[in-house]
Amino acid sequence: MATHRIYYDDSFARDFEAQVLTCEPCVHGTTPAWEVVLDETALYPSSGGQPCDRGKLGDANVLEVRDDGDDIVHIVDRELQPGPVHGCVDWVRRFDHMQQHTGQHLLSAMFQERFGRPTVSFHLGAELSSIDLRGAEPTAEILEGAERAANRVIFEDRPINVRYGTPEEVAQMGVRKEVDRAGILRAIEIEGADLQPCGGTHVRRTAQIGTLLVRRCTKIRQDWRVEFACGARSERLARNDFRLIARAASSLGCAADDLADAAARVVAERDANFREIRNLLQRLAELEAASALESASADASSIRIIVRAFEENTHTDYPGFFSTQLAKAEGVIALVGLKGGGQLIFSQHPSAGKDMNALLKRTFERFAGKGGGNRDFARGRLTDGANIDQALEFARTTLQEQSQASAV
Ligand SMILES: [Zn+2]
């Protein structure tokens, strides 16, 4: 015997009396549960993009509701005895689902009727729902046009009717969609706006959908996924949008309406400041390098080795500017580090004749790190930034030993 579906004719039934026909143990996820079949139910199973209901059967919590051919199977968290049981539907969850689902009928109809974009799938999500549209990319005008048209039908508070008929009768009523099911079909009519075959749950009048908001549109394979929300979800989204805008406007010290201009201005200022800081750092590096060169003494082969470890709070670009500046001078080798991050930069004027890449590699054999470069310039990073001073000293000693060896 097929389960009688109370929601087909009364989607507003929240409480019902039924008979437990069977109750079999099963597993839900990893926990023990029971599969219950009733003679009739108001609980809606997962179907057509709409998640299933939750609720209670007697003292048992309904964890899931599944369509199983003609039967509806309720997964519950405790065993039920055969016989009469009182059932109830988690109404907040169900009404929200009915708002989103009925909103989907209406929104799909507007995209189809006005803009020739058929809906190929529907998903009712936890925060937002979405439909996938076939055809060319919907422009902003199309998205806004469908949203406005749907809301107009909502404000007109039109009745939503359940109609039954054979496939031929339903086709005569004006259902466009081909249906390959025999027998009596159920169709949902939004008066003057839409007629769709559907076995789901819907609100009674369009005003119950509440305001419909269209959100993002993104490409999914060959289709266009349009996100939307209805009812209390729209209220939450609008409230959240307002809070975000107010917070951003307050941070930028502007009116909400000026937010986009103010943000663009702040980004432009940031970019200009960034360029200016780089110029100043460059200039400072030139001066510091000149002063370091003055006080550096050359060895027997007229090579000047300059070693410098910068403190942790130094701008990360600065060690690079400084060492590049030093290596412009004849016979100079610059061994530069940045404490904290463990950044190392070895550079030389080509006339110094050493191999910076080989020197960095040798340093990393002694102190773990990663990096590379060429003869005149090499950079890397020590695994442990605390080793900067020792690593620089090791590199200097290595260079000096090389010079002494070549002098001998
Ligand atoms: Zn439906």
Side-chain angles (χ1 to χ4, degrees):
M1 192 182 79
T3 311
H4 174 237
R5 300 169 190 234
I6 298 168
Y7 59 80
Y8 267 174
D9 295 302
D10 184 6
S11 58
F12 279 70
R14 309 183 195 190
D15 291 277
F16 61 101
E17 304 299 330
Q19 295 288 326
V20 175
L21 301 181
T22 61
C23 180
E24 305 285 342
C26 71
V27 175
H28 180 71
T30 53
T31 53
W34 286 264
E35 289 187 347
V36 173
V37 175
L38 307 172
D39 61 339
E40 59 177 347
T41 187
L43 288 152
Y44 183 74
S46 303
S47 176
Q50 181 173 330
C52 67
D53 282 339
R54 301 271 162 73
K56 294 203 103 167
L57 292 178
D59 290 332
N61 293 302
V62 177
L63 309 171
E64 194 189 330
V65 188
R66 265 203 322 258
D67 218 330
D68 185 18
D70 286 340
D71 282 337
I72 288 181
V73 176
H74 309 75
I75 315 293
V76 298
D77 65 354
R78 67 187 68 175
E79 189 171 8
L80 293 176
Q81 297 307 316
V85 71
H86 177 78
C88 67
V89 178
D90 174 343
W91 188 245
V92 172
R93 176 179 164 93
R94 158 69 87 71
F95 189 70
D96 167 62
H97 288 170
M98 296 206 298
Q99 287 183 310
Q100 313 311 315
H101 178 75
T102 315
Q104 180 263 312
H105 278 246
L106 183 55
L107 184 62
S108 289
M110 298 302 109
F111 274 120
Q112 169 73 59
E113 284 289 307
R114 288 159 190 261
F115 305 106
R117 300 292 199 287
T119 295
V120 292
S121 75
F122 164 55
H123 173 72
L124 203 168
E127 299 288 332
L128 290 167
S129 301
S130 62
I131 49 176
D132 289 354
L133 300 177
R134 184 105 343 139
E137 181 176 9
T139 58
E141 288 72 29
I142 290 180
L143 296 169
E144 285 166 26
E147 179 187 63
R148 199 173 308 120
N151 280 306
R152 208 170 297 138
V153 175
I154 289 171
F155 301 157
E156 286 166 5
D157 195 21
R158 298 193 200 173
I160 296 167
N161 307 311
V162 180
R163 313 267 301 257
Y164 290 99
T166 61
E168 295 74 33
E169 287 166 341
V170 169
Q172 275 195 338
M173 290 176 210
V175 168
R176 283 178 308 268
K177 208 155 97 183
E178 287 279 322
V179 184
D180 54 6
R181 268 176 53 190
I184 296 298
L185 291 178
R186 182 177 186 259
I188 302 302
E189 176 192 43
I190 300 175
E191 268 186 25
D194 187 43
L195 184 65
Q196 287 291 317
C198 184
T201 55
H202 309 83
V203 294
R204 286 189 188 120
R205 301 187 66 91
T206 56
Q208 289 176 324
I209 295 170
T211 303
L212 187 152
L213 295 184
V214 167
R215 309 286 286 186
R216 276 192 318 174
C217 173
T218 48
K219 194 164 186 0
I220 302 290
R221 292 177 291 277
Q222 83 266 41
D223 299 318
W224 300 95
R225 180 157 298 171
V226 177
E227 293 175 339
F228 69 95
C230 303
R233 295 186 183 203
S234 299
E235 183 191 319
R236 280 199 298 276
L237 283 172
R239 172 59 48 196
N240 192 47
D241 287 352
F242 180 76
R243 274 203 204 104
L244 286 176
I245 290 169
R247 255 177 61 195
S250 157
S251 299
L252 291 173
C254 68
D257 283 344
D258 300 330
L259 190 56
D261 288 342
R265 234 177 3 250
V266 165
V267 170
E269 277 170 20
R270 185 204 59 189
D271 292 348
N273 286 341
F274 178 75
R275 284 191 295 272
E276 193 161 335
I277 285 171
R278 279 182 71 89
N279 290 339
L280 288 171
L281 287 173
Q282 190 69 53
R283 181 80 191 112
L284 183 62
E286 284 168 22
L287 294 170
E288 269 213 285
S291 137
L293 284 169
E294 258 175 42
S295 53
S297 51
D299 66 4
S301 47
S302 8
I303 288 176
R304 283 179 289 174
I305 302 174
I306 293 167
V307 179
R308 178 73 65 89
F310 287 101
E311 292 304 321
E312 199 174 341
N313 57 4
T314 307
H315 194 287
T316 49
D317 290 341
Y318 190 68
F321 291 163
F322 180 70
S323 63
T324 304
Q325 204 55 42
L326 286 173
K328 285 180 182 169
E330 198 85 12
V332 165
I333 299 175
L335 307 176
V336 173
L338 179 59
K339 290 180 182 173
Q343 194 185 352
L344 280 178
I345 302 173
F346 296 168
S347 56
Q348 71 172 358
H349 188 274
S351 61
K354 307 290 185 191
D355 186 338
M356 296 299 106
N357 190 36
L359 182 63
L360 189 70
K361 292 266 146 60
R362 272 202 69 184
T363 309
F364 287 151
E365 280 166 19
R366 182 70 173 274
F367 304 92
K370 257 191 195 150
N374 54 37
R375 275 187 76 81
D376 295 332
F377 185 91
R379 70 192 311 162
R381 195 176 284 275
L382 292 168
T383 310
D384 183 356
N387 289 333
I388 277 287
D389 286 323
Q390 296 95 306
L392 289 173
E393 191 46 41
F394 173 81
R396 183 223 296 269
T397 317
T398 305
L399 282 177
Q400 282 168 343
E401 283 166 2
Q402 282 172 5
S403 296
Q404 282 157 10
S406 61
V408 173

